[in-house]
Amino acid sequence: MDAHLNDIYDAVIRRNPGEPEFHQAVESLFGSLAVALGRHPEYADDALVERMCEPERQIIFRVPWADDSGRIHVNRGYRVQFSSVLGPYKGGLRFHPSVNLGIIKFLGFEQIYKNALTGLPIGGGKGGSDFDPKGRSDREVMRFCQSFMTELQRHIGEHTDVPAGDIGVGQREIGYLFGQYMRLKNAHESGVITGKGISWGGSLVRKEATGYGVAYFVSNVLESAGDSLDGKRVVVSGSGNVAIYAIEKVQQQGGIVVACSDSSGYIVTEKGIDVPLLKDIKERRRARIHTYADESGSATFVRDGSVWDVDCDVALPCATQNELDHTAAETLARNGCTIVAEGANMPVTPAGVRTLRQAGVKFGPGKAANAGGVATSALEMQQNASRDSWHFDYTDQRLESIMSDIFQRCRDTAETYGAPDDYVLGANIAGFTTVADAMCALGVV
Ligand code: GLU
């Protein structure tokens, strides 16, 4: 980081105390920017980088709701509208007890550059709540979502801000949120939220898109070296929406996923994951991962262990931030892993990234590798705007070609800056310059 960026980073830390994840996301972008600012001095003018680090708007609100016994709970709701230079704010909602302003700001900051990389007209935002949907009945989740949307509705709109899902927010929650929005607005504005069900304005492939996109990104990395996923041993962390569909697509492309996890531990199976069984356990029954070992007859459950101890060619962290540290990175490299791609947002710690790169492991950062989800949200917005609905294969082809364009942009940009295969540098600079050029054109706002 050069002196100018260092000063800005110090100010970010000072002005945003107690938000380590946000600091980490800013530091990881800044780590790549010195060379870009060297070639484009105009990006250092008009406090452009400082403005990028300050959300356009941050909303925090009270969310009261009644549980099934009539007891009232109070949660906190957030929406951080970070950047609207490329399009309406776009990014998911996360419902998880760990959610706080710093986590939403890190996610919103990442989202700006990720969305820029898709090449589609979407700005960056993120929201959520410290509400924990785990163990709550459908009715409790519904009442929470209705209360959350009663406040959020005044800040969103198809041309303003378009939320979607993230951890803890799937189609069930999107349905309750959209239902309440419709009721309050007395209009069916389907473009206000994405991740909807197919019969009520959703897009085919949206559910699968983040996971499929990660697999497509990895395929591109392998193809650029004359290789493919065929026969590769793959380890995936998590077993939520991103993990399930990354596993499905990796196996469709000939890879064998030998392990996946949840917060209780991981399962290992030399036969590859039985995806229909995993979907039934996680999507329908919302049960724990040991159920997979109990029922598949061919998997072992390891309680509280690290899934990164399982040797593999490719590792896909698809659970949550900072889940793969430098020790895990060392283990992966020692066991022969050659590619790590982030399905989750910032799952590899900065020391983990350094360790992987020093060991020569190719690393796909989340803002590139997991951009397929938000890209397909933008395709859902296109279908809503034209009152159309596209076939699965067509939408999947669009996703595949967007992921391949993202990979090319990362690789070409990295090459231009003299660091081929440094996809972190490529993704950061390609995303940053897209946003910076638009900011220069739009003036100081
Ligand atoms: N939560 C997803 C992400 O991290 C998707 C957001 C969206 O579809 O708007 O990119």
Side-chain angles (χ1 to χ4, degrees):
M1 221 190 271
D2 71 2
H4 171 64
L5 288 168
N6 233 338
D7 289 346
I8 302 174
Y9 183 61
D10 286 346
V12 166
I13 294 184
R14 208 173 46 248
R15 301 179 72 234
N16 302 275
E19 298 179 356
E21 293 85 1
F22 177 50
H23 305 163
Q24 187 182 327
V26 171
E27 189 179 12
S28 112
L29 180 82
F30 280 16
S32 307
L33 291 193
V35 278
L37 295 182
R39 284 197 194 184
H40 294 273
E42 70 276 17
Y43 295 155
D45 292 342
D46 294 335
L48 184 141
V49 179
E50 289 91 326
R51 282 186 284 139
M52 278 184 171
C53 297
E54 187 67 22
E56 290 175 16
R57 192 172 298 104
Q58 307 182 54
I59 301 145
I60 304 183
F61 51 94
R62 179 171 68 196
V63 190
W65 57 281
D67 69 19
D68 287 342
S69 68
R71 201 178 132 227
I72 303 299
H73 299 256
V74 180
N75 283 98
R76 194 169 288 171
Y78 302 88
R79 187 71 183 167
V80 172
Q81 299 179 329
F82 224 122
S83 169
S84 61
V85 281
L86 300 182
Y89 307 109
K90 182 80 196 88
L93 298 171
R94 176 177 290 191
F95 292 169
H96 191 269
S98 65
V99 163
N100 57 40
L101 183 60
I103 288 193
I104 299 299
K105 276 162 74 177
F106 120 62
L107 291 164
F109 189 75
E110 282 283 294
Q111 200 82 47
I112 304 171
Y113 309 99
K114 181 196 309 198
N115 295 3
L117 279 173
T118 67
L120 297 163
I122 40 179
K126 203 86 188 190
S129 174
D130 57 358
F131 171 71
D132 188 358
K134 234 184 233 141
R136 292 290 170 196
S137 69
D138 285 354
R139 289 301 159 114
E140 289 175 322
V141 171
M142 181 180 79
R143 284 192 294 273
F144 174 81
C145 289
Q146 289 176 341
S147 179
F148 185 88
M149 183 52 87
T150 301
E151 173 59 32
L152 187 69
Q153 54 91 20
R154 48 185 118 242
H155 309 289
I156 61 174
E158 66 172 314
H159 303 296
T160 323
D161 184 353
V162 183
D166 195 82
I167 292 172
V169 179
Q171 207 179 97
R172 174 182 62 168
E173 290 75 16
I174 296 293
Y176 296 146
L177 290 163
F178 183 52
Q180 181 74 349
Y181 182 86
M182 223 165 58
R183 183 180 186 203
L184 292 167
K185 295 282 179 176
N186 188 30
H188 191 107
E189 292 169 23
S190 47
V192 72
I193 197 162
T194 60
K196 299 180 293 295
I198 302 308
S199 62
W200 39 280
S203 171
L204 287 165
V205 192
R206 175 62 192 90
K207 182 174 67 171
E208 295 85 355
T210 312
Y212 278 17
V214 177
Y216 290 143
F217 187 90
V218 172
S219 284
N220 276 283
V221 174
L222 286 161
E223 274 163 27
S224 73
D227 202 351
S228 79
L229 266 168
D230 198 28
K232 295 283 181 297
R233 267 177 81 87
V234 181
V235 166
V236 174
S237 67
S239 45
N241 175 262
V242 180
I244 289 173
Y245 292 96
I247 295 169
E248 182 166 276
K249 185 53 75 179
V250 163
Q251 298 200 151
Q252 280 173 12
Q253 302 207 335
I256 307 156
V257 181
V258 292
C260 70
S261 64
D262 69 11
S263 55
S264 66
Y266 67 90
I267 54 124
V268 203
T269 167
E270 289 304 314
K271 282 176 63 179
I273 306 269
D274 175 346
V275 176
L277 176 61
L278 184 66
K279 284 184 186 171
D280 189 61
I281 292 169
K282 285 290 172 180
E283 290 183 338
R284 195 178 64 80
R285 289 188 263 162
R286 299 177 192 272
R288 310 302 309 197
I289 198 72
H290 69 78
T291 316
Y292 184 96
D294 299 344
E295 296 180 13
S296 76
S298 60
T300 315
F301 174 61
V302 181
R303 189 174 297 282
D304 296 330
S306 167
V307 75
W308 310 122
D309 291 341
V310 180
D311 51 306
C312 60
D313 303 306
V314 176
L316 305 178
C318 296
T320 195
Q321 66 269 5
N322 293 328
E323 53 157 311
L324 198 166
D325 63 9
H326 74 280
T327 314
E330 267 165 20
T331 310
L332 284 169
R334 198 174 45 245
N335 288 342
C337 175
T338 57
I339 300 178
V340 174
E342 294 185 315
N345 290 311
M346 213 168 73
V348 185
T349 64
V353 176
R354 275 194 300 277
T355 304
L356 293 173
R357 292 207 48 79
Q358 276 158 13
V361 177
K362 290 184 179 165
F363 175 68
K367 56 171 82 69
N370 74 36
V374 75
T376 308
S377 276
L379 301 183
E380 183 173 332
M381 291 162 70
Q382 288 181 28
Q383 292 169 73
N384 295 152
S386 56
R387 303 215 182 282
D388 200 356
S389 61
W390 305 343
H391 293 290
F392 189 97
D393 287 347
Y394 172 72
T395 317
D396 192 25
Q397 278 158 22
R398 293 278 312 257
L399 168 65
E400 196 171 356
S401 95
I402 290 168
M403 292 314 295
S404 144
D405 290 348
I406 292 174
F407 171 73
Q408 304 288 355
R409 271 185 89 185
C410 292
R411 202 188 50 177
D412 294 351
T413 309
E415 229 165 69
T416 310
Y417 282 85
D421 284 349
D422 186 344
Y423 307 131
V424 173
L425 188 88
N428 281 341
I429 296 186
F432 169 82
T433 51
T434 304
V435 179
D437 288 341
M439 286 178 76
C440 290
L442 294 173
V444 177
V445 286

